[in-house]
Amino acid sequence: MSDGARLPERGALARRGLTAIDGALALIVIILIVQMWLLTATLESFLAGRVSAALPAALVSLALFAATAALAAFIARVDRAARESGGAA
Amino acid sequence: MSVEPGKPPLWREEFSVHAGDERYVGRRQFAKFLVLTSLGMLAGNVWILVRSLFRKPPVFPAVPVARVSDVPDGGILTFAYPEAHDPCLLLRRGEDFAAFSQICTHLSCAVVYDDARKLLACPCHDGAFSARDGRVLGGPPQRPLPRVRIERRGDHLVAVGITLEEET
């Protein structure tokens, strides 16, 4: 196959990869906003003398961090796939 | 300046940034930054959890705040407990005494007794608390007023601790 015929395919791959990465980034930002709210609410509760929310909040925060890390790994995988296909060049 | 055939121009060698690569690198770095931010917030939550686990219950002193005869039936007395900068209100209804922190749980304004409505009112944002048990009756506060435990020892009223009620 000639380069001229492959170029549009590379471009399409790159665009698809960028769209997937943008979507994952948007999800990470939403998760971060939730995590930020969770931290402030837990801190406010702790400073008010109530400690019952600390454990569930830490567990939820851990789950949100795991989701963020999974999405980051997804971004890295898509990025690598796009680069190997030559889409990013 | 001439360019040798088959070689990229000099400006491309010196400014070797590809726009496509830069887009990917920017997003990848941004994702790493966001993950680190998420890790920081997880660390904050874990720190709160550790502090909660090793938290010692506060010890309150027993402090005489007034004589029974100092507070008339239906009257109010202000006092400070547990420290001199912690204002509190003591209310008497017959032989029942109730005492609350005077600091609103919304934004720390001073609450006052509203005799017309028979409740504790925060004038800053129209918060309202029950004069019986300190629970929230209206307005922006989400938590009840901390209640000061009062014991009657002879003719003296003694503050012995503070109770934080559960959220309403």
Side-chain angles (χ1 to χ4, degrees):
Chain A
M1 188 183 286
S2 70
D3 277 344
R6 288 183 63 185
L7 276 175
E9 188 187 345
R10 288 177 180 173
L13 275 173
R15 275 197 301 277
R16 275 210 300 271
L18 280 174
T19 305
I21 288 173
D22 285 344
L25 279 176
L27 276 177
I28 290 179
V29 168
I30 291 169
I31 289 173
L32 272 183
I33 291 170
V34 173
Q35 212 177 5
M36 209 175 294
W37 168 82
L38 184 67
L39 178 60
T40 52
T42 313
L43 184 61
E44 203 228 356
S45 176
F46 173 73
L47 292 177
R50 283 183 306 281
V51 296
S52 57
L55 179 61
L59 292 176
V60 172
S61 188
L62 177 65
L64 292 174
F65 169 70
T68 308
L71 284 168
F74 169 75
I75 288 174
R77 199 172 63 240
V78 171
D79 178 34
R80 197 166 47 245
R83 282 174 186 283
E84 283 170 0
S85 73
Chain B
M1 192 165 85
S2 64
V3 177
E4 292 179 31
K7 285 190 71 177
L10 182 61
W11 68 266
R12 184 175 285 279
E13 285 180 18
E14 292 184 344
F15 190 72
S16 55
V17 175
H18 297 273
D21 284 346
E22 195 181 17
R23 280 206 307 259
Y24 275 95
V25 170
R27 284 165 169 81
R28 212 166 50 225
Q29 296 292 354
F30 186 50
K32 281 181 187 171
F33 169 74
L34 292 181
V35 171
L36 281 177
T37 308
S38 176
L39 181 62
M41 281 187 275
L42 171 63
N45 269 108
V46 170
W47 176 78
I48 292 173
L49 175 63
V50 170
R51 289 288 303 267
S52 302
L53 291 176
F54 293 100
R55 182 187 175 117
K56 293 176 183 170
V59 178
F60 295 104
V63 177
V65 295
R67 290 176 177 274
V68 175
S69 53
D70 292 340
V71 192
D73 189 8
I76 301 157
L77 184 80
T78 56
F79 64 100
Y81 184 80
E83 304 292 338
H85 55 269
D86 298 321
C88 299
L89 283 174
L90 174 66
L91 296 88
R92 178 176 184 176
R93 297 290 170 271
E95 290 305 304
D96 293 331
F97 293 89
F100 305 97
S101 166
Q102 204 181 359
I103 300 173
C104 180
T105 54
H106 177 223
L107 288 177
S108 300
C109 290
V111 297
V112 293
Y113 182 67
D114 185 337
D115 195 36
R117 295 190 290 166
K118 306 291 182 198
L119 50 77
L120 294 165
C122 176
C124 291
H125 303 98
D126 284 333
F129 302 89
S130 166
R132 183 177 300 276
D133 51 17
R135 73 180 188 281
V136 178
L137 296 178
Q142 298 294 309
R143 300 188 307 273
L145 287 175
R147 184 166 189 158
V148 181
R149 293 194 299 276
I150 297 287
E151 283 182 8
R152 189 170 175 167
R153 296 178 183 173
D155 189 39
H156 285 88
L157 298 170
V158 181
V160 295
I162 292 179
T163 305
L164 294 170
E165 303 291 339
E166 286 302 311
E167 286 189 39
T168 53

